[in-house]
Amino acid sequence: MFVNEIKIENFRNISFMGLFPDKGINVIYGENGQGKTNILEAIWLFTGCKSFRTSKDSELIKFNSENAKISVEFESKLRKNTASVFIEKNRQAFLNGVQLTSPRELIGKYYSVIFSPVHLSLIKDGPLNRRKFIDAAISQIDETYAKKLMYYNHLINQKNALLKNTAEDASLLNTFDIWDEKIAESGAAVIKCRIDYLKMLEEIASDIYSGISDKKENMKIIYAGSFGFESESTDCIRENFLKNLRKNRSNDLYLKNTTCGPHRDDIEILIKDISARKFGSQGQQRSASLALKFGEAEIIKRIKGEEPVILLDDVLSELDLTRQNFILNKIKNKQVFITCCEKETVSRLCTGKVYKIENGNEVK
Ligand SMILES: Nc1ncnc2c1ncn2[C@@H]1O[C@H](COP(=O)(O)OP(=O)(O)O)[C@@H](O)[C@H]1O
Ligand SMILES: [Mg+2]
């Protein structure tokens, strides 16, 4: 999959920019705060997902402008497409001239994988970032997943509000059984999707990891649930989830929070059968993060038959030469946008186009 043309208007610090990217490597360089990541963010929005930096669409509009617009021509195996994303109060998307009911309808039409310094610390960070990673990865290949997750989060918010209000209105307690059943059913569906995804990811990422580590080490991925289940069937997960919601009820009432469920789950990465988060070296943790991210790209390719557009935001300069070379090897035959501060970091390997960005403009 390739982006042939991109036009950006009143987006972040960019008033207007038009680019005709290379089908291989595109280097975007310039000093800090000039608008490099903004370009990647604009390209990312065609995944149909929210920005990787903010959930508030209005932040994307250039200060003092009323709206922002980004248009692309992209080429998938099947056809050339034009798409645009228009941002006013929220995002609206158009594909081949037709307005979509939601930008999410772009999912399955265009694919990207973003890799930024946040992802380099994926292994050692708290569970929230690992959940975000896996949720975003599944959302791109399964249009129904984001809906499942949103519904689950909605139920949890409602339940937590009830937990807070029971002190004043004890009759609310009677409604808990019904809420818990809904939560267990919807949460089990979320967990099932995550477990299935992680199985695929483990197979691919462990291969990639052993490639980076010179076949010396193995990597495993485990779904670290906030409650246990004997089998991975959706029914079994649901039953155990319900059991735990009931068991935790008095504690949850005391804490005014639902303390188990997919919103509390984690992913554990093992290297040589030991927790990489707790015991891994920085090098092992970074290699594992790379393996997860390139695993995400490989899954898109296998399942959807399209190479995702790769967005590498400021990561190369953070890595040693071996890992840099590993990345540059992995991105062959893909379209890539790489941002960096020094042109030299990538120019030695770059055969594509180079864009210099200053104050939201491309300078020749
Ligand atoms: N909505 C906005 N309107 C105008 N400028 C913005 C907006 N959001 C961010 N910026 C500006 O964009 C710049 C950061 O751009 P960014 O792409 O993150 O820089 P970098 O080149 O370091 O990747 C900052 O100068 C910031 O003030
Ligand atoms: Mg940046």
Side-chain angles (χ1 to χ4, degrees):
M1 168 157 287
F2 306 102
V3 176
N4 294 324
E5 184 182 353
I6 171 154
K7 260 197 302 196
I8 306 173
E9 292 167 70
N10 296 327
F11 181 85
R12 298 281 196 187
N13 69 340
I14 303 168
S15 300
F16 182 85
M17 189 181 286
L19 307 174
F20 293 90
D22 191 85
K23 287 195 172 180
I25 298 180
N26 295 278
V27 176
I28 300 167
Y29 82 100
E31 287 176 17
N32 281 329
Q34 300 304 310
K36 303 183 296 296
T37 305
N38 295 343
I39 299 173
L40 299 196
E41 192 178 31
I43 300 172
W44 168 262
L45 289 180
F46 290 93
T47 58
C49 301
K50 283 182 182 167
S51 159
F52 52 82
R53 289 206 286 195
T54 175
S55 56
K56 291 202 188 99
D57 292 335
S58 59
E59 286 179 15
L60 302 169
I61 303 169
K62 190 166 192 278
F63 300 145
N64 304 320
S65 294
E66 289 190 350
N67 48 53
K69 189 179 173 189
I70 327 156
S71 319
V72 287
E73 184 193 285
F74 69 95
E75 207 175 318
S76 57
K77 270 197 187 137
L78 298 173
R79 61 179 289 183
K80 270 190 185 160
N81 300 277
T82 55
S84 56
V85 171
F86 183 76
I87 308 155
E88 206 156 40
K89 283 195 185 70
N90 44 33
R91 283 169 298 143
Q92 290 165 36
F94 298 79
L95 182 66
N96 300 318
V98 178
Q99 178 166 6
L100 307 176
T101 40
S102 146
R104 293 219 154 266
E105 281 187 47
L106 285 169
I107 294 176
K109 304 290 188 301
Y110 169 89
Y111 303 102
S112 251
V113 169
I114 169 83
F115 196 159
S116 72
V118 177
H119 301 115
L120 277 179
S121 53
L122 203 53
I123 308 292
K124 71 168 199 292
D125 279 354
L128 178 66
N129 281 350
R130 283 184 292 278
R131 285 194 298 267
K132 273 190 187 164
F133 157 69
I134 180 181
D135 288 338
I138 305 173
S139 296
Q140 266 204 82
I141 55 166
D142 175 357
E143 295 95 283
T144 66
Y145 181 73
K147 274 199 195 130
K148 287 180 188 154
L149 188 64
M150 261 161 56
Y151 181 57
Y152 173 76
N153 286 332
H154 162 78
L155 293 174
I156 288 293
N157 288 337
Q158 299 279 317
K159 168 92 187 284
N160 287 345
L162 289 175
L163 287 169
K164 288 187 182 82
N165 294 335
T166 39
E168 280 133 50
D169 183 357
S171 72
L172 292 174
L173 271 169
N174 301 328
T175 65
F176 278 25
D177 279 341
I178 296 168
W179 282 104
D180 285 351
E181 272 176 33
K182 284 188 190 175
I183 288 172
E185 179 159 2
S186 126
V190 169
I191 294 175
K192 179 69 179 157
C193 288
R194 288 181 178 172
I195 289 176
D196 288 347
Y197 184 82
L198 289 182
K199 283 213 179 94
M200 259 187 308
L201 185 63
E202 181 183 61
E203 190 195 320
I204 296 167
S206 60
D207 235 30
I208 299 175
Y209 186 86
S210 76
I212 318 177
S213 68
D214 234 3
K215 308 234 179 305
K216 286 196 283 273
E217 298 175 347
N218 72 334
M219 171 180 156
K220 288 186 190 142
I221 305 176
I222 291 170
Y223 191 75
S226 46
F227 60 90
F229 30 88
E230 303 80 26
S231 94
E232 289 171 353
S233 74
T234 313
D235 271 348
C236 178
I237 299 171
R238 181 180 51 76
E239 280 162 23
N240 280 284
F241 192 2
L242 190 56
K243 223 190 291 169
N244 277 274
L245 285 165
R246 288 181 179 149
K247 192 179 81 190
N248 293 349
R249 191 172 290 173
S250 58
N251 193 37
D252 286 0
L253 271 166
Y254 173 71
L255 294 170
K256 301 186 179 10
N257 222 325
T258 312
T259 50
C260 72
H263 63 296
R264 289 294 182 96
D265 292 352
D266 197 357
I267 299 156
E268 179 93 74
I269 311 295
L270 305 183
I271 293 170
K272 293 205 271 187
D273 299 320
I274 299 169
S275 161
R277 180 174 56 83
K278 292 188 194 140
F279 305 108
S281 67
Q282 193 200 47
Q284 285 173 324
Q285 292 177 344
R286 289 188 157 192
S287 295
S289 309
L290 282 169
L292 292 182
K293 270 287 161 183
F294 283 97
E296 179 191 353
E298 181 63 27
I299 286 178
I300 292 176
K301 188 183 147 197
R302 285 197 196 172
I303 291 198
K304 300 295 177 181
E306 292 280 356
E307 289 278 12
V309 173
I310 306 282
L311 308 172
L312 296 178
D313 193 20
D314 266 336
V315 280
L316 279 188
S317 58
E318 297 267 335
L319 295 170
D320 60 24
L321 213 58
T322 318
R323 290 188 182 84
Q324 280 188 28
N325 286 336
F326 168 82
I327 292 192
L328 293 160
N329 208 26
K330 270 278 164 216
I331 57 181
K332 278 185 188 148
N333 310 319
K334 294 181 175 65
Q335 188 178 41
V336 195
F337 293 83
I338 302 177
T339 69
C340 59
C341 288
E342 305 89 29
K343 192 178 165 191
E344 294 71 39
T345 317
V346 254
S347 62
R348 64 184 167 101
L349 301 136
C350 179
T351 48
K353 289 194 178 164
V354 179
Y355 300 99
K356 184 174 183 201
I357 306 300
E358 231 173 70
N359 198 15
N361 292 299
E362 185 198 353
V363 289
K364 306 268 178 191

